[in-house]
C-alpha cells in the first residue's frame, strides 16, 4: 500500500490504534481525516498531529454514518483510503451478563454494522480513486474468548466480510486490507485491561512496515499466530483461555 500522498479517513482515530495510524499516515505525507464520538479527544488529537482534520461522528448510529460519508466525499474529493478502525469491547461472559440488550446491540453496531455500512457508502468513491479499504479486526476473530463473546463474534464476522470483499473488489481495482491486532496497550475495554499487551508504537510500526511491503492480511504477535494456526491449535488456545 502506498502511504504517502493519500487522502485517508480513519474512524475512531482520536485515540489508541486509530490515532497511532493517523499519526503515521500524516508523517508519511498523507492528508488525514479522523472521526470519533468525543470532541475533546478529537481536539487533543488535532493538537498533536499538524494538519489533521477532525469530524465528530458516532459510527454506531446509522444517520451519523450517512452524514459522515456525505461530508467527507464532498469536502475531500481525492479521498482514496478508508480505515474502519472504530470498535468497542465489552468484557462479560454471556452467562453472567446482566446488562440490557442495548449494550450488546451497540457493540454489534459499532464493530460490525458500522464498517459494513461505511464500506458500502464509500465504495463508489474508492472505485473512482482506485483506493484502499482497511478493516481492523482482532486476533480474537480466530480465537473466541469467553470473556468477550460478542466482541469476538463481531471480529470473526469482519474477517469473513473482509476476505469476501477482497475477492469482490479486486475486479474494481479497490485494494482491501485486513489488520489483525493482538492485545495492544490501549484503553480498549476499559483503562488498565491491556497494559500487558504489545506496546502501541511497536505494533503500529510493524503494521506500517507490512503495509509498505504490500501485505493485505497483517497480523502481529499472538494475532499472527492465531491467523496462521490450525483448527486444532485454535481449539487448544480457546480452551486454555476459557479455563484461565
Amino acid at each position: 500500500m502506498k502511504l504517502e500522498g493519500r487522502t485517508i479517513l480513519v474512524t475512531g482515530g482520536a485515540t489508541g490504534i486509530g490515532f497511532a495510524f493517523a499519526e503515521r499516515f500524516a508523517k508519511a505525507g498523507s492528508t488525514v481525516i479522523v472521526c470519533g464520538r468525543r470532541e475533546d479527544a478529537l481536539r487533543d488529537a488535532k493538537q498533536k498531529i499538524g494538519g489533521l482534520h477532525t469530524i465528530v461522528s458516532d459510527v454506531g448510529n446509522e444517520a451519523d454514518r450517512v452524514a459522515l460519508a456525505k461530508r467527507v466525499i464532498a469536502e475531500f474529493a481525492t479521498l482514496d483510503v478508508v480505515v474502519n478502525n472504530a470498535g468497542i469491547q465489552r468484557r462479560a461472559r454471556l452467562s453472567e451478563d446482566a446488562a440490557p440488550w442495548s449494550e450488546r446491540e451497540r457493540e454489534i453496531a459499532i464493530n460490525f454494522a458500522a464498517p459494513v455500512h461505511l464500506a458500502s457508502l464509500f465504495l463508489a468513491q474508492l472505485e473512482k480513486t482506485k483506493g484502499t479499504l482497511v478493516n481492523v479486526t482482532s486476533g480474537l476473530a480466530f480465537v473466541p474468548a469467553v470473556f468477550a463473546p460478542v466482541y469476538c463474534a463481531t471480529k470473526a464476522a469482519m474477517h469473513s466480510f473482509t476476505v469476501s470483499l477482497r475477492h469482490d473488489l479486486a475486479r474494481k481495482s479497490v485494494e482491501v486490507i485486513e489488520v489483525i491486532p493482538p492485545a495492544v496497550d490501549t484503553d480498549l475495554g476499559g483503562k488498565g485491561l491491556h497494559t500487558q499487551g504489545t506496546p502501541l508504537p511497536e505494533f503500529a510500526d510493524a503494521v506500517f512496515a507490512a503495509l509498505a511491503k504490500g501485505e493485505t492480511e497483517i497480523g502481529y504477535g499472538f494475532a499472527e499466530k492465531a491467523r496462521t494456526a490450525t483448527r486444532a491449535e485454535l481449539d487448544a488456545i480457546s480452551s486454555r483461555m476459557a479455563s484461565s
Side-chain angles (χ1 to χ4, degrees), residues 98-172:
W101 165 248
S102 58
E103 291 193 17
R104 274 164 271 173
E105 188 173 39
R106 181 159 179 77
E107 189 173 20
I108 295 168
I110 292 175
N111 294 355
F112 184 62
V116 173
H117 190 197
L118 289 170
S120 67
L121 290 171
F122 283 108
L123 179 56
Q125 173 69 19
L126 294 179
E127 285 183 36
K128 183 171 67 175
T129 57
K130 298 190 183 305
T132 302
L133 177 69
V134 181
N135 289 332
V136 179
T137 61
S138 170
L140 295 180
F142 303 88
V143 186
V146 297
F147 62 79
V150 176
Y151 177 84
C152 295
T154 60
K155 293 302 184 177
M158 277 305 300
H159 168 68
S160 176
F161 175 71
T162 303
V163 172
S164 63
L165 202 60
R166 183 178 298 124
H167 292 300
D168 181 21
L169 299 187
R171 61 194 173 90
K172 297 179 179 292

Side-chain angles (χ1 to χ4, degrees), residues 174-192:
V174 175
E175 183 179 35
V176 179
I177 296 172
E178 182 178 5
V179 175
I180 310 165
V184 178
D185 188 3
T186 68
D187 288 337
L188 179 69
K191 289 185 179 295

Side-chain angles (χ1 to χ4, degrees), residues 1 3-4 6-36 41-42 44-46 48-54 81-85 134 136 200 203-205 207-208 211:
M1 173 184 172
L3 303 176
E4 69 279 0
R6 312 296 295 269
T7 304
I8 302 168
L9 170 67
V10 183
T11 68
T15 60
I17 289 173
F19 176 81
F21 286 5
E23 189 175 39
R24 283 158 179 76
F25 280 127
K27 286 182 178 178
S30 287
T31 298
V32 184
I33 312 111
V34 302
C35 70
L42 291 168
D44 289 345
K46 193 168 186 176
K48 294 172 182 175
I49 302 176
L52 185 69
H53 302 271
T54 62
V81 181
V82 174
V83 181
N84 277 318
N85 164 77
V134 181
V136 179
L200 179 55
F203 168 69
D205 286 345
V207 168
F208 271 65
L211 288 173

Side-chain angles (χ1 to χ4, degrees), residues 51-65:
L52 185 69
H53 302 271
T54 62
I55 299 173
V56 177
S57 179
D58 179 359
V59 298
N61 179 280
E62 180 182 353
D64 274 23
R65 295 193 295 266

